[in-house]
């Protein structure tokens, strides 16, 4: 006799959360790879960037930094679960805009379209059991709170060292993390 199956809960009981699937190229895709033999017979792999490859490698690293800088303003990488999440439509729109920009930039840099299409920024709407969603959101909130506290300490240190530029930069970062923290708290409260 077949084991009884449990019916999934009705959709309205599940909690929607957005996850981010992101795969960005590194400078390695334009490196020239070769092996080199040493005097004692050992071999080692060598990567080399020169000429136009060096320029493209720098552009790829700049692209990666820019994408991460923008995504972390509206998304939280929940380290405990190893996943980027957001609960706002604004975060989804930003990821969609970044996806378009990444595709365009990779093609403009001269990457073959078959290579460029391997890289992406995508949002995935998932529906979680309320208990699972609360655990994930609690982890994100706890992590964001810790980041705000750490930034506050770093701001105090920068102010003590009279480093106004760094203090201002850290204050801006703390502001968007506080805004993200507020959005996650509000969403979690709406589930109660």
């Amino acid at each position: 006799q077949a084991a009884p199956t449990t019916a999934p809960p009705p959709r309205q009981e599940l909690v929607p959360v957005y996850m981010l699937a992101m795969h960005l190229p590194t400078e390695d895709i334009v490196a020239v790879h070769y092996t080199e033999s040493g005097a004692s017979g050992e071999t080692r792999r060598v990567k080399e960037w020169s000429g136009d490859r060096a320029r493209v490698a720098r552009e790829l690293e700049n692209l990666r930094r820019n994408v991460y800088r923008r995504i972390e303003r509206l998304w939280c990488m929940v380290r405990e679960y190893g996943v980027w999440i957001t609960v706002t439509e604004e975060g989804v729109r930003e990821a969609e805009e970044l996806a378009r920009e990444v595709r365009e930039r990779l093609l403009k840099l001269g990457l073959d379209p078959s290579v460029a299409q391997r890289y992406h920024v995508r949002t995935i709407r998932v529906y979680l059991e309320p208990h699972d969603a609360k655990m994930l959101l609690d982890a994100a909130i706890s992590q964001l709170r810790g980041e705000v506290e750490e930034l506050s300490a770093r701001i105090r240190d920068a102010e003590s060292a009279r480093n106004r530029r760094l203090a201002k930069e850290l204050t801006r970062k703390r502001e968007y993390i506080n805004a993200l923290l507020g959005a996650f708290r509000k969403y979690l409260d709406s589930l109660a």
Side-chain angles (χ1 to χ4, degrees), residues 51-69:
D52 197 46
R53 289 178 183 270
R55 180 192 60 78
V56 172
R58 280 191 307 275
E59 292 285 337
L60 289 172
E61 289 306 307
N62 287 338
L63 173 68
R64 287 176 63 83
R65 268 194 301 279
N66 183 44
V67 167
Y68 278 104
R69 189 175 12 231

Side-chain angles (χ1 to χ4, degrees), residues 27 29-32 48-58 60:
E27 60 186 9
I29 68 168
V30 295
V32 174
E48 183 177 280
W49 299 268
S50 58
D52 197 46
R53 289 178 183 270
R55 180 192 60 78
V56 172
R58 280 191 307 275
L60 289 172

